[in-house]
């Protein structure tokens, strides 16, 4: 398997980590973000760590030629990415809906 793909995979983890930190900083600067949203965002760090662990194992499996396990690990990594993406969309959708309903002077709240 092309090492460029693996390099891009690890680079995508770094980009995701940067996006998580940026989102956290942005949300924490808002006046009325529920603690549950911050907790959900913080859970992404653990998911990202799991992805990195799986990707490191993936490299070993590729070297061994264990293609069934390679496929399984790729599916797990993709599934974890989808979980973050779907949850982040739900958070953004809730934030957007609440900001549309609020006047500029109102505090933003979720739920």
């Amino acid at each position: 398997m092309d090492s460029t793909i693996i390099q891009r995979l690890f680079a995508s983890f770094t980009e995701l980590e940067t996006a998580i930190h940026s989102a956290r900083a942005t949300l924490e600067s808002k006046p009325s973000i529920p603690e549950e949203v911050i907790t959900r965002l913080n859970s992404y760090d653990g998911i990202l760590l799991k992805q990195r662990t799986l990707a490191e194992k993936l490299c070993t499996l590729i070297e061994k030629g264990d293609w069934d396990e390679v496929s399984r690990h790729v599916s797990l990594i993709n599934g974890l990415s989808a979980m973050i993406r779907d949850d982040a969309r739900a958070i953004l959708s809730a934030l957007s809906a609440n900001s549309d309903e609020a006047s500029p002077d109102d505090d933003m709240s979720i739920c």
Side-chain angles (χ1 to χ4, degrees):
M1 186 169 280
D2 192 344
S3 66
T4 304
I5 294 170
I6 299 300
Q7 290 170 345
R8 286 183 18 215
L9 176 63
F10 280 97
S12 73
F13 296 150
T14 301
E15 290 174 22
L16 179 56
E17 183 175 43
T18 300
I20 291 168
H21 291 297
S22 175
R24 183 180 298 113
T26 299
L27 287 176
E28 288 175 346
S29 71
K30 303 289 183 190
S32 297
I33 301 298
E35 186 61 33
E36 299 82 37
V37 172
I38 300 300
T39 300
R40 285 166 63 181
L41 189 62
N42 289 339
S43 74
Y44 299 170
D45 292 324
I47 296 169
L48 184 57
L49 177 62
K50 182 64 176 174
Q51 286 183 300
R52 283 189 167 124
T53 302
L54 288 166
E56 289 169 6
K57 179 70 176 170
L58 178 68
C59 293
T60 303
L61 294 168
I62 291 170
E63 288 174 10
K64 290 172 33 179
D66 189 347
W67 302 116
D68 288 338
E69 281 299 303
V70 166
S71 177
R72 188 176 81 81
H73 276 65
V74 168
S75 293
L76 290 170
I77 291 167
N78 287 338
L80 291 169
S81 292
M83 191 167 48
I84 291 173
R85 181 186 64 242
D86 293 347
D87 191 59
R89 281 184 182 154
I91 290 171
L92 290 173
S93 178
L95 288 172
S96 177
N98 284 329
S99 68
D100 289 345
E101 295 170 6
S103 70
D105 295 337
D106 290 345
D107 286 341
M108 185 185 324
S109 63
I110 299 177
C111 300

